[in-house]
Amino acid sequence: FVASNACGDSVYGPFEISVVELPRITTQPRSAALCGGDNLTFRVEATGTNLQYQWYYNNAPYPSENTSATTSALLIENASHDSAFYSNTFNVQVSNVCATVTSINVGTIISEVPNIVGNPEPTTVCAGEEVTLYANATTNYPTDTIVYRWFLDGNPFEGGTTNTITFAMDSAHMGEYYCEFTNGCGTVRGNSAQVIVKMPPTVESQPIDVSVCEGEMAQLYAKITGVEPMTLIWQNSNGEGLDYTDITTQNVSGDTTS
């Protein structure tokens, strides 16, 4: 500028006027979903002059031990689930000498592989009986989806996609059962349970007709196999056709199970 009077002019300058651009957030941080042990990153993009950043959680500055807390991207390494800490109140303040702007609040879902809380129990049942096996798992986030997959002797069990399976017992269903639980963070296998079928006794050798003289001892033999314990009861018709009655032990000698 020029200052003038009757004695002359005085010229001062030149001078510069610097315009400090106000901070403006152009890309807000986003909520995140990840698995325990992964790195968690919140990022903001902003324009302005000589910007400074400060990340917050629960309305308090993020600990300064994490040097990324004062940058445009907050990095939390090896994140783990902690409902008290990882709440939906992360945000960042972007500032310069002229103003401060605050981002939206964001949060995170940190899940883990399923936690097994129930395994099938070993069982032994008779053929034809109904068997129900149960297994269950939970996650630390309520909306996390768990996929169930049952196996019999290492092979997928048909229809086994819920936490319970039910079937009528026979020899084809005898074996080792276990359930696998899967979510977005991985798969875990539950404990195995042995399911055994008890089949009805099988007659391997039938008694045969014999003829004896009156007063002599008659000996009949039968071979029976099956799951112990078994009992064998001999009967006779007393000449009355199909009306059979048990033979008392006084009239029977030998092992009552053969």
Side-chain angles (χ1 to χ4, degrees):
F1 68 91
V2 178
S4 301
N5 62 15
C7 297
D9 299 327
S10 296
V11 179
Y12 298 88
F15 300 95
E16 292 183 358
I17 297 177
S18 297
V19 178
V20 176
E21 182 184 355
L22 296 176
R24 293 179 177 85
I25 295 176
T26 58
T27 303
Q28 295 281 356
R30 296 181 178 180
S31 296
L34 67 157
C35 299
D38 291 347
N39 292 339
L40 170 62
T41 301
F42 291 115
R43 189 181 307 275
V44 68
E45 294 181 5
T47 60
T49 304
N50 296 328
L51 297 180
Q52 294 180 327
Y53 302 87
Q54 178 60 63
W55 288 89
Y56 288 78
Y57 73 94
N58 291 340
N59 299 317
Y62 198 87
S64 58
E65 291 81 1
N66 187 332
T67 57
S68 69
T70 54
T71 68
S72 61
L74 174 65
L75 171 63
I76 302 173
E77 296 182 344
N78 194 30
S80 61
H81 177 77
D82 183 345
S83 58
F85 182 76
Y86 296 107
S87 59
N88 291 327
T89 55
F90 283 88
N91 59 42
V92 61
Q93 288 187 354
V94 184
S95 62
N96 61 13
V97 295
C98 293
T100 298
V101 291
T102 303
S103 74
I104 62 173
N105 290 339
V106 293
T108 183
I109 300 171
I110 300 180
S111 188
E112 307 282 350
V113 295
N115 175 44
I116 298 174
V117 295
N119 282 296
E121 296 289 339
T123 185
T124 300
V125 296
C126 295
E129 291 184 353
E130 187 176 86
V131 176
T132 297
L133 298 179
Y134 165 85
N136 201 15
T138 62
T139 66
N140 49 34
Y141 197 78
T143 61
D144 197 7
T145 300
I146 297 178
V147 176
Y148 297 84
R149 194 72 175 107
W150 284 89
F151 292 83
L152 168 58
D153 292 334
N155 299 310
F157 184 81
E158 183 177 357
T161 56
T162 64
N163 67 331
T164 60
I165 54 174
T166 301
F167 50 88
M169 193 61 196
D170 56 23
S171 58
H173 286 96
M174 185 169 64
E176 183 181 75
Y177 288 81
Y178 65 87
C179 187
E180 287 186 349
F181 312 88
T182 302
N183 66 1
C185 292
T187 298
V188 292
R189 171 179 165 172
N191 294 338
S192 299
Q194 196 74 25
V195 177
I196 298 173
V197 59
K198 295 190 296 184
M199 302 300 292
T202 301
V203 178
E204 292 191 356
S205 178
Q206 293 273 8
I208 59 176
D209 295 337
V210 294
S211 296
V212 295
C213 297
E214 183 178 350
E216 292 182 347
M217 179 180 294
Q219 186 175 39
L220 299 175
Y221 172 82
K223 183 179 181 181
I224 312 298
T225 60
V227 178
E228 297 288 350
M230 289 188 300
T231 58
L232 178 63
I233 299 175
W234 290 88
Q235 297 179 318
N236 72 349
S237 66
N238 292 321
E240 300 296 331
L242 298 179
D243 185 16
Y244 288 89
T245 58
D246 295 348
I247 301 175
T248 61
T249 55
Q250 287 83 357
N251 296 330
V252 177
S253 63
D255 189 346
T256 59
T257 62
S258 62

